[in-house]
Amino acid sequence: MKILVLNGSPKHEKSDTMHITRAFLDGMKEAAPQEIRIVDIIDKHIEYCTGCFTCKRNGGKCIHNDDMKELLSEVLESDLLLFSYPLYCYGMPAPMKAFADRTMPLSSMAMKKQGDRYVHVGQANFSHLKFMMICGCGFPNSKQNFEPAVMQFKLMFPNNHTIITVPESPMFNAPEAAEVTVPRSELVKQGGKQYAETGEIDEKLLAEICSPMIPEDVYAEICNKEM
């Protein structure tokens, strides 16, 4: 499988969330050989979308001459598009949001009804693509936290999507937390292997991966002591 990983964290490989993503990819590689390319979005030149819709009217050509043209080509050549990012203000970090906004050239101005909503008709064929979101955050709670980002991702990619959200993710960068992070990484790895083999993750395993690693109040107390 050809996998394009979009790392939305400005921390590059030191991203808390990328620890989770790498464990998932390791699991996938255990199941079968994978062709993986990781792109640090923060390092790419991506201008903000101006909403001019030129791209939707002229076959996908954007007014900006930056790295998005190459990135969109890589997207269309991939089998799995994996968004890995920390939760910023209940959504994507700004550089990744800029990337998402600039995917406009993939669709045209024409609209069609899909289910109970209208969507733009595609200018490119990406029906083969699968989509994954792996998102971590520094809060201990799973609920009343990830919902906006999850809903956005589901609306962006209504088909073939898988979503992993992990609270307490800064612990993956703390060696002293290995007692709980190593077993959780193994669960994530198991999820990656399962996904590579079947195209999905068992609901029970997914729920376990997305749950807090230690009691919420204990985690909050540890974080407050380190301030």
Side-chain angles (χ1 to χ4, degrees), residues 157-208:
F157 310 113
N159 303 310
N160 301 323
H161 64 251
T162 302
I163 297 173
I164 296 175
T165 56
V166 182
E168 305 175 344
S169 63
M171 288 204 293
F172 286 95
N173 255 327
E176 61 272 25
E179 184 178 348
V180 292
T181 57
V182 170
R184 186 57 56 95
S185 293
E186 285 302 312
L187 287 178
V188 175
K189 193 174 179 180
Q190 185 182 334
K193 185 177 180 180
Q194 198 176 93
Y195 182 84
E197 293 172 341
T198 68
E200 57 185 11
I201 306 173
D202 175 76
E203 287 187 13
K204 184 178 179 181
L205 175 59
L206 186 59
E208 196 170 356

Side-chain angles (χ1 to χ4, degrees), residues 40 92 131:
D40 293 311
M92 297 178 178
F131 306 94

Side-chain angles (χ1 to χ4, degrees), residues 23-35:
F24 187 86
L25 294 172
D26 286 344
M28 290 191 71
K29 287 186 286 187
E30 274 193 4
Q34 311 292 339
E35 184 180 343

Side-chain angles (χ1 to χ4, degrees), residues 5-9 12 38-46 67-68 71 84 93-99:
V5 180
L6 302 172
N7 178 15
S9 172
H12 297 86
I38 299 175
V39 174
D40 293 311
I41 294 294
I42 192 72
D43 292 336
K44 294 298 180 180
H45 176 202
I46 301 175
D67 291 334
M68 273 305 295
L71 286 171
S84 173
M96 179 158 277
K97 180 58 166 60
F99 168 89

Side-chain angles (χ1 to χ4, degrees), residues 71-89:
L71 286 171
L72 287 177
S73 294
E74 289 191 59
V75 166
L76 294 174
E77 292 169 2
S78 301
D79 302 305
L80 173 63
L81 188 60
L82 196 163
F83 287 71
S84 173
Y85 64 91
L87 197 68
Y88 277 27
C89 198

Side-chain angles (χ1 to χ4, degrees), residues 87 90 136-142 144-146 166-170 219:
L87 197 68
Y90 305 101
C137 81
F139 282 126
N141 50 307
S142 295
Q144 301 298 311
N145 204 4
F146 291 106
V166 182
E168 305 175 344
S169 63
Y219 174 84

